[in-house]
Amino acid sequence: MKVSRKQMTFFTAVARAHSTDEYTPYTHFSYVDSAGHYSGPDITNNVATLEKLSKMGIVRLVGDEDDFTVELVERTDFLAGWFDGVRAASRGEGTDYSAYCSMPMAFVAGHQHWNEQQKPTAIQYKDEFQRRCHGFPCVDTGEIWRQE
């Protein structure tokens, strides 16, 4: 299974989403509120992808067609699957475990994103600039960031 580029853009935006409760002086393009609703241009711009993911039962659109947020149907499973995919890729393992994961697409997406981040041109995650991604270590602190 390979996750399409448009789906990867969405999943990566979800994994990078910053809490709306946390002040940041930096511009980010995806946010998550305390109810688990995701917003921001990287989240809501591709309506066709969102509709496809909605039909697959992965997301739910909340609000009206002009002003909506996105809710992951199984947010905990998505974040765990993404984290496990990142961890497997960091160990050099393949995506075989995705068959046993409750959210295989999230596992594969996390795995793909890890491999994309290993390219020399990738912008590293750095806590100092609040550039973080779920399951990835921040290069300046070494701590693995987890989206709550």
Side-chain angles (χ1 to χ4, degrees), residues 101-114:
C101 183
S102 62
M103 184 70 71
M105 190 175 249
F107 182 95
V108 173
H111 196 279
Q112 279 182 224
H113 188 58
W114 172 269

Side-chain angles (χ1 to χ4, degrees), residues 7 22 24 29 32-33 56 63 77 112 119 127-128 133:
Q7 290 170 342
E22 179 184 339
T24 177
F29 304 103
V32 61
D33 65 18
M56 296 168 71
D77 289 346
Q112 279 182 224
K119 294 177 183 175
D127 197 52
E128 175 186 3
C133 186

Side-chain angles (χ1 to χ4, degrees), residues 43-119:
I43 299 288
T44 59
N45 274 354
N46 194 327
V47 177
T49 297
L50 291 174
E51 288 173 352
K52 185 174 183 178
L53 293 172
S54 179
K55 287 178 184 173
M56 296 168 71
I58 296 174
V59 301
R60 193 176 304 131
L61 305 181
V62 179
D64 62 42
E65 63 184 51
D66 295 327
D67 185 27
F68 65 93
T69 59
V70 178
E71 178 181 69
L72 294 170
V73 173
E74 297 292 339
R75 182 172 187 254
T76 303
D77 289 346
F78 175 85
L79 292 174
W82 175 277
F83 186 88
D84 290 343
V86 169
R87 188 171 49 192
S90 71
R91 295 178 183 160
E93 299 169 1
T95 58
D96 297 339
Y97 178 74
S98 67
Y100 305 102
C101 183
S102 62
M103 184 70 71
M105 190 175 249
F107 182 95
V108 173
H111 196 279
Q112 279 182 224
H113 188 58
W114 172 269
N115 289 315
E116 291 168 2
Q117 282 297 111
Q118 301 316 300
K119 294 177 183 175

